[in-house]
Amino acid sequence: MKSQKTLVNMWTHNGASGVQSETIDLTYSPPRNDKKRRRQNSELQSVSSKKQAQWVSSAFGDFGDFADVSTSTQGQKAKNSSRSKNVTSKPDNPLQQAQQICRGAGIERGPPKNSKRRPQNDMELWSDKYAPKSQSDLAVHKKKISEVESWLQVHLTAKRKVNIIGFFVEYYSFLPIALLTGPAGVGKTATIKVLAKELKCDIKEWINPIATEYNKDFQNMSDFSKVEGYTSESQLSQFQQFLLRANKYNNLGIFGEESCSKKLILVEDFPNIFFRDASLFHDIIRKYSKVGSCPLIFIVSDSTSGESNERLLFPKDLQQQLHIENISFNPVALTSMTKVLTKIAQVESSQGTHKFTVPSRNVIESLAMSSAGDIRGAINALQFACLKDTGDLTWGSSVKENKKSIKKSSSKDNFKGKMSKEKSCETSASVESDLAAIGGRDTSLFLFRALGKVLYCKSKYWTWTIIETTYDDVVEKSHLSGDYFSAYLHQNYLEFYSELSDVERAADYLSDSDNLTVEWASRSVLQQYAAAVATRGLIHSNSARARFSSGGSGLGWKPLHKPQWYSVMKQARQNCDSARCLFKNYAKPPEVLQTEILPYISLINTTLHNPGQIAFIQDICKFSSSRFPGRSEKLDEKDVVPEDSLETDQQQQSVSDLKKVDNELKSDDTITNSQSKVKTGAEEEGEEEEFVIEEFDD
Amino acid sequence: MSLWVDKHRPNSLQKLDYHKEQASHLKKLVNGGDFPHLLVYGPSGAGKKTRIMCLLRELYGSGVEKLRIEQNTFTTPSNKKLEISTISSNYHIEVNPSDVGNNDRVVIQELIKTVAQVNQLESASQKDFKVVILTEVDRLSKDAQHALRRTMEKYMATCRLILCCNSTSKVIPAIRSRCLGVRVAAPTIDEIAQILQNTCKKESLNLPVDLARKIAEKSNRNLRRALLMSEACRVQQYPFSPDQEVTEPDWELYLKETAGLIIQQQSPKRLLEVRARIYELLTHCIPPDVIIRGLLQELITNCDGQLKCEVVEAAAYYEHRLQLGQKAIYHLEAFIAKFMAIYKRFFEEGIADLF
């Protein structure tokens, strides 16, 4: 652990003394020793992952590490950020430089201004070194940039003014708030920083303060409040203060930078308390939206596991209420990523401290692909790959050897839906480990894809064995409990069936799967089996699909839905509870109350005195007049499934529909791909180009 | 204005309309001095609760009719707060422990303990025990039932339990053997019709005999339903006409409509539509077992003799699973799919035989 920590130091520390000895550490090890090298890899990865964890908007509350890094790098900075005034006053403020280096999700940046202070050494991460300087450097898609830019332009120039007399010069009825979402490392922060620079406006960024320590003993607890300098503020109030101050005051201009009138507040690092109680955050934002005038930008990274922070912090009703503009970023396109990587490699090989040959195009491409659109990860992987003592690692050769298969499987794994390892099962295992060695991303399946994999599956006798091995994997990778996964399957399976006898069998399998988890004590163990029964049952009982497969064309695209069961049950529970509370004086068992008393009360027109009772009776005894009540919320491609994801995405519907069409193309694509032979390189190119287009709706 | 059901509820053992012999037995039991724990069981709407209240009145006099509703709070060992409402008088307390789900054990133990620890005031003039009424005992968890067993013996001196449930099959034998079982059978159709007419007379309405019979038949021998139905009929149309439609609650109509849809067409698409309707029913607090029973009753009317057996078997199979399992919709849907398949197969065979 200690070495890891020093490594962290090493990576963030810019050329201070004492680093050299540790650098030797790295290059020291005998290059032939495979085991050791593997460990090095993992160490390096853990370093980069740690850095990523820091970047990904502190969703993990990994405070200790962050504290470690920053306190050891610059005590001054730590002190500074421990106060509430940790405002990034200007990008080239020397104090903030370090912060920026820590978080630049950048692509390209020239040598820093005060580079004379820092001896040229390659301990700097390339992703920081080459952070983008101008719009043209950004690897983000042009349209996305212009979308953000126009938003910024509109809201920076327009002042929110309410004139007392009644003349509104420029008046926005709401405070501009933007929410940038997207996977980690696609350049959300970089885009904002670059654009802010170009539009000449200040970014005031919130960074979680490090908790102040009490070095005073608590003897004088009684006059605690009087002790100066040791009053602690909660992160919450600090955050509130920050918003207020950043909104109110301009830069002092102490560091000689010209103070500009335009500014925006950036929050990427949410105080941890908000993840526990999002309503606090909502309150603050609502409050701010009333008093504030300065545009507010939030950046939230997508995550595949656990609760989605976006849903937690920005529920749809809040977004609508405050008119929050939601701009979602897509993974960086393969072509632009390759371009950037090549450029960096060339610059670095000619100017860098140590010599290396520019990696071949194939290598760069495979790097780009394995990073799954995470450009920061890709650059870090490139840097690692170009280290002089890792040049002879086996991955290079294996990449060349299996070039085709890597291309196929990785593009599938990461871009197209991470689908179907049916084809190259035996190669993909080795390929996967190779990619992992050069910093590939964990290939977790988005739920959407996992479902598609089961529902669109064509059970063919010759893929039998492969199905047997892969489908437990699917459930596992979808990050869901088997229980929940089968609920998703249940919600969606009917549309994929055309024969009633198949449905009968499938429904029976689902019933079986639920029956397996009857015993509470053994539920956790049996859940996996239950999910397996459900998945396989659904795949195998669909005889129609099997027939389709020979023809090659699947049934058309079907939108996927979220399971209604949970929301229905929640609603039912709520109704039961309110029935019990409201009609307490009838003192009947719930079943009698709900099936007999209440319906008849509504028929009898009993005079009820409580308005709540009246409303409830009307609500509960009305059945929707339409013959078939509507269906549930559709499932978004990127959706991660929190237990309480019951908010509706009405406005996103259209967008997600588009996405789904895309995805359908993709998934169909993949399925056919898996059957067809390996394509030639040229075809491959064409296909990837096509992809880019699909991805961004050009 | 309270419902007829509550308004005209008999309040003493003498006034009960049916099972009069049983009522006199109960009276003897009270007067005999040695009052055991009781387990009152019988179908819904047969008058179990009415009988219990009459019994209490016999025990304590009119004091038991001064009821108050209280909200009690209990804390589980894991520090979870449980809220449960109880109905009590000075002499008894009534609670439905299944309201708190899995934590019913805590409620039972704590509640009985608190009741039993306080002795009856003026025990000279009154009975020296209090009564705890537990409703829906068949929904208690096994855990709670076992806890109950011990508690029943321990506090025998100061408190008696009256357990109330629909069926004893879900009550553990240990509890059954500790109680005197009192079965309250559902009233016959004649009895119901008679009661309806009496009630209407009290309301100074004139209910034709035919309509009373019709309502009684429709009510499934559930007196509460019958009374509610007749009151609904009164709202719908008065003066009554013998051939008037008996009003049914919306959810039943909805369920019947759903069954109709299943009969009409058998396809995955239809199943999907039916599922949406079942979700609708579930959100309206109709329990899944009621849904499956209702569906079966409707579907079976459209089946031939040989089919009936198969369909009922499937229904029983899935109903059992539904009771055990967590996701009722799986089993409901499996049953409907099964029915559709059976029904369709039957028809196809029938058509094949024709040609």
Side-chain angles (χ1 to χ4, degrees), chain A residues 379-649:
Chain A
I379 296 173
N380 287 342
L382 177 73
Q383 182 173 18
F384 174 65
C386 293
L387 281 180
K388 62 181 166 210
D389 59 333
T390 55
D392 59 340
L393 276 179
T394 45
W395 65 266
S397 54
S398 78
V399 162
K400 272 166 214 157
E401 271 171 36
N402 304 344
K403 180 195 150 196
K404 279 283 132 53
S405 68
I406 284 181
K407 268 190 140 174
K408 279 210 84 72
S409 71
S410 61
S411 66
K412 252 174 259 153
D413 274 4
N414 300 316
F415 273 98
K416 287 198 224 164
K418 304 167 185 174
M419 303 263 268
S420 62
K421 270 161 248 144
E422 286 98 328
K423 205 209 88 205
S424 53
C425 239
E426 71 291 341
T427 52
S428 76
S430 61
V431 166
E432 231 167 59
S433 62
D434 281 342
L435 288 178
I438 53 171
R441 268 206 176 175
D442 184 18
T443 53
S444 61
L445 283 165
F446 272 108
L447 174 65
F448 193 79
R449 277 134 191 194
L451 286 176
K453 214 166 169 175
V454 175
L455 293 171
Y456 278 105
C457 177
K458 298 159 179 176
S459 58
K460 284 158 291 183
Y461 55 94
W462 57 271
T463 51
W464 209 252
T465 48
I466 294 158
I467 285 171
E468 291 306 310
T469 51
T470 355
Y471 278 87
D472 294 327
D473 230 30
V474 172
V475 180
E476 197 187 306
K477 281 191 174 173
S478 66
H479 294 289
L480 284 181
S481 69
D483 186 39
Y484 216 62
F485 190 75
S486 71
Y488 266 94
L489 287 177
H490 169 259
Q491 180 70 32
N492 294 299
Y493 79 101
L494 273 178
E495 293 186 338
F496 293 83
Y497 280 71
S498 50
E499 295 288 323
L500 193 63
S501 52
D502 294 345
V503 172
E504 185 197 349
R505 279 177 65 202
D508 197 41
Y509 276 121
L510 282 174
S511 167
D512 283 341
S513 85
D514 186 44
N515 206 34
L516 269 178
T517 56
V518 158
E519 278 298 320
W520 178 80
S522 56
R523 188 169 293 159
S524 55
V525 182
L526 284 175
Q527 222 175 43
Q528 287 176 18
Y529 292 95
V533 167
T535 15
R536 296 202 174 125
L538 286 191
I539 290 166
H540 293 325
S541 47
N542 200 346
S543 62
R545 284 300 291 166
R547 241 183 288 119
F548 267 122
S549 68
S550 51
S553 69
L555 13 143
W557 168 245
K558 313 265 186 199
L560 298 179
H561 299 264
K562 293 186 179 173
Q564 275 171 293
W565 170 251
Y566 295 99
S567 58
V568 164
M569 276 298 107
K570 197 175 162 194
Q571 181 78 39
R573 254 198 317 275
Q574 275 173 4
N575 283 344
C576 278
D577 285 345
S578 41
R580 209 172 58 213
C581 292
L582 287 170
F583 297 92
K584 226 186 279 177
N585 48 345
Y586 286 91
K588 292 282 187 301
E591 190 179 318
V592 173
L593 190 68
Q594 289 145 18
T595 59
E596 292 175 23
I597 304 286
L598 293 184
Y600 277 108
I601 283 182
S602 80
L603 288 175
I604 292 167
N605 297 327
T606 325
T607 39
L608 298 166
H609 301 295
N610 185 339
Q613 286 184 339
I614 298 167
F616 183 73
I617 285 280
Q618 271 170 0
D619 186 42
I620 197 101
C621 297
K622 276 270 150 49
F623 281 86
S624 75
S625 48
S626 72
R627 222 154 78 110
F628 309 115
R631 295 207 56 195
S632 70
E633 177 185 6
K634 284 182 182 166
L635 178 64
D636 197 351
E637 179 190 1
K638 290 283 162 56
D639 267 335
V640 187
V641 207
E643 305 290 314
D644 56 354
S645 64
L646 302 167
E647 303 91 3
T648 47
D649 327 309

Side-chain angles (χ1 to χ4, degrees), chain B residues 14-44:
Chain B
Q14 288 90 346
K15 287 186 192 160
L16 289 172
D17 293 289
Y18 50 93
H19 304 328
K20 293 200 187 228
E21 198 188 344
Q22 190 188 50
S24 64
H25 285 323
L26 286 175
K27 191 163 185 178
K28 273 184 214 152
L29 191 70
V30 169
N31 296 331
D34 188 19
F35 192 79
H37 296 305
L38 292 185
L39 173 62
V40 182
Y41 59 99
S44 174

Side-chain angles (χ1 to χ4, degrees), chain B residues 19-20 69 77 81 122 151 165 227 244 261 267 269 282 286 295:
Chain B
H19 304 328
K20 293 200 187 228
I69 299 174
K81 285 258 184 297
E122 307 174 63
T151 323
C165 61
L227 281 164
Q244 105 180 65
L261 288 174
S267 69
K269 189 166 165 283
L282 285 173
I286 309 299
L295 273 182

